[in-house]
Each structure stands twice: as structure tokens, then as C-alpha cells.
Amino acid sequence: MKAVLQGCILAFQFLSTIPFRKQCEINESTLKWALRSFGIVGLIIGGALLGVLTLLQGIIPSYLLAVLLLTIWVLLTGGLHLDGWMDTADAAGSNRSIEEKREILKDSRAGSFAVIACILLVIWKFCLLYFLADSKSQDGTVLLTAVPVLARLQALWLLYKHETFYQRGLAFYWKRNLTFLDILISMIILIPFVLIAKAVLFLIIIQFLFTYLYGRWASKSFSGINGDLVGASIEGAEVWNLAVLSIYILYVTA
């Protein structure tokens, strides 16, 4: 039980800014439970977004609500995955060799591609959140909680299916302790979603398509993955899921 609790806390410490000051042991057991808790971190983030949306929808203008939701989203993750998104954009946009792209990933400075990619990501998230805030779909509102959950679960699948291009770093240590059983355990969190809203199955299926396409692109562009690419996949998956959710609301529940 101690390993379960410490693993869950480690997941929050690695993936969010939610304050857990407890010092946790880092070993094979706690790392496994940290990986299994990725979805729980997403659930807390999604739950916070759902709470704000439910409380303020119809009370404040939808555009302000969308800005507030986006701000909370960034604050809860500390911009960690956004940093990976920007580093990935700089590397991918450089049109250099694979080795040079990998070196660019390690550079903390933001180039023009990083800035452009960040602006586009924020615009897309804002527009999709605005659509959701302006929507009267109850299913769509509830499914907002599933968006960050699915984005973090797909990161596990990405780690499981693709090799890291360095035998060091956070992504390598995560992958070394990740098994298919861990992924199955992490996915238990989706059962309540399926029972509450069957439409989440649609999101899950389409999410697999995103992870497959992203994984193929990362393998071709970088011959593997690292922490930045995994972080970028979370940001990309969140936008993808918001877009799919918006299409579902627009064409299925309308």
C-alpha cells in the first residue's frame, strides 16, 4: 500500500504542479505505481476543469470562461508538456539530420518554430474550449474530464511501443519499468467514464489513431522518442481530443 501511495504522489510531482511535499522513494515498485497513476493525474486536472466549467457556464461570457479554463490547465501542469511541445517544434522545423534534431531537443532556448507552435496550440485550445463553454451539451461537458485522462494514458502507450533514443533520461527510466500489465491497470480509470457516457469509447478509439500517427512520425523524424516528444504528445493529444469532442457535440448531439 505504501508503494501505491508513493507512486501516485510521484506521478503528481512529475506531471503537475499540485503541491505534494512528501519525499517519496524512487524504486521499481513506486515507479510502476507512478506510471499506473498517470490517468489519475489527468482525472484531477479534468475534474478541476469540469468544476470551473459547471460553476461558471452561463454566468460569465464564454470567451472569458475559455481563457480561465486554459489558464487553469496551464497552471496545473506548470507548462511542462508545453515546453516539450515547443522543443519538439524547434527540432522538427529545423530540417536537420536526426542527430542534429536530437541536439536541438536538448536546447532550452526557444526558437521561432517553438514560438509559432506555442501560439497556434494556445489559439486552438482557446477556440475549442470556447466552443465547449458556449455549448449546451451535457455529455460534452462531462467528457471534458476525459480529455486530459486520455492524453496521459496515450503517453504510456507511446512509451511502451517506441524505443527511447538515449539510454538515459526520464523517458528511458519510465519505459524501463513499464509493462503491458501496467497500461491495463492504468486504464481501469476509464470504466466509470464508459458507464457514465458511452461516447467516451468514441474518444478512446480516435485517440489510438492519434498515438499511432504521432508514434510513426516521431520514429521517422527522430528514430525514437524522449521526454520532450512524450510531453509534446500529451499537448497534441489534448487538442486532438478537444477537437474530436467538439465534432461529436456539433454533429452527434446537435
Side-chain angles (χ1 to χ4, degrees), residues 170-253:
L170 189 57
F172 171 71
Y173 289 110
W174 284 125
K175 180 177 176 60
R176 193 170 66 175
N177 290 279
L178 182 64
T179 65
F180 186 67
L181 176 62
D182 298 320
I183 294 177
L184 290 179
I185 292 172
S186 72
M187 291 181 69
I188 292 173
I189 198 171
L190 294 176
I191 294 175
F193 285 104
V194 175
L195 295 176
I196 294 170
K198 296 276 192 295
V200 78
L201 289 171
F202 176 67
L203 285 178
I204 293 171
I205 293 169
I206 304 300
Q207 176 72 97
F208 269 110
L209 175 61
F210 168 85
T211 310
Y212 170 74
L213 293 174
Y214 183 88
R216 286 198 61 178
W217 170 80
S219 295
K220 182 179 179 180
S221 301
F222 298 92
S223 292
I225 59 171
N226 74 339
D228 281 327
L229 287 164
V230 174
S233 81
I234 293 176
E235 287 289 350
E238 287 177 342
V239 172
W240 175 282
N241 289 333
L242 284 172
V244 172
L245 181 54
S246 299
I247 293 170
Y248 170 78
I249 292 170
L250 191 60
Y251 295 105
V252 179
T253 66

Side-chain angles (χ1 to χ4, degrees), residues 18 72 87 113 140 178 207:
I18 298 171
I72 291 170
D87 288 341
F113 288 111
L178 182 64
Q207 176 72 97

Side-chain angles (χ1 to χ4, degrees), residues 8-237:
C8 188
I9 292 173
L10 277 175
F12 277 97
Q13 290 174 337
F14 278 118
L15 299 177
S16 78
T17 57
I18 298 171
F20 283 97
R21 304 300 179 191
K22 180 179 175 58
Q23 284 290 112
C24 297
E25 298 176 24
I26 300 180
N27 53 47
E28 183 179 345
S29 182
T30 57
L31 281 175
K32 275 190 167 294
W33 280 106
L35 290 162
R36 294 169 181 177
S37 301
F38 269 36
I40 297 175
V41 178
L43 179 64
I44 298 302
I45 294 171
L49 297 174
L50 176 62
V52 172
L53 179 60
T54 303
L55 286 173
L56 298 179
Q57 192 173 32
I59 297 176
I60 65 174
S62 296
Y63 66 89
L64 287 179
L65 182 52
V67 171
L68 180 59
L69 289 169
L70 185 56
T71 302
I72 291 170
W73 209 330
V74 173
L75 288 175
L76 286 175
T77 60
L80 172 66
H81 313 312
L82 193 57
D83 180 66
W85 173 269
M86 294 173 70
D87 288 341
T88 299
D90 265 343
S94 69
N95 290 320
R96 304 286 184 85
S97 68
I98 288 176
E99 285 302 322
E100 288 175 311
K101 286 179 181 177
R102 292 176 178 179
E103 288 301 312
I104 293 172
L105 282 175
K106 295 190 291 185
D107 191 342
S108 60
R109 293 171 297 180
S112 57
F113 288 111
V115 175
I116 293 168
C118 182
I119 291 171
L120 288 174
L121 180 80
V122 171
I123 289 173
W124 271 105
K125 267 194 173 179
F126 167 77
C127 291
L128 293 167
L129 286 170
Y130 173 75
F131 174 80
L132 190 61
D134 204 46
S135 167
K136 305 300 184 221
S137 170
Q138 188 174 357
D139 276 356
T141 302
V142 172
L143 286 174
L144 174 61
T145 316
V147 169
V149 175
L150 289 173
R152 281 148 188 81
L153 292 180
Q154 70 82 34
L156 293 179
W157 185 253
L158 192 69
L159 277 169
Y160 179 72
K161 292 294 290 183
H162 298 275
E163 294 299 322
T164 57
F165 47 73
Y166 293 130
Q167 302 303 300
R168 61 181 187 276
L170 189 57
F172 171 71
Y173 289 110
W174 284 125
K175 180 177 176 60
R176 193 170 66 175
N177 290 279
L178 182 64
T179 65
F180 186 67
L181 176 62
D182 298 320
I183 294 177
L184 290 179
I185 292 172
S186 72
M187 291 181 69
I188 292 173
I189 198 171
L190 294 176
I191 294 175
F193 285 104
V194 175
L195 295 176
I196 294 170
K198 296 276 192 295
V200 78
L201 289 171
F202 176 67
L203 285 178
I204 293 171
I205 293 169
I206 304 300
Q207 176 72 97
F208 269 110
L209 175 61
F210 168 85
T211 310
Y212 170 74
L213 293 174
Y214 183 88
R216 286 198 61 178
W217 170 80
S219 295
K220 182 179 179 180
S221 301
F222 298 92
S223 292
I225 59 171
N226 74 339
D228 281 327
L229 287 164
V230 174
S233 81
I234 293 176
E235 287 289 350

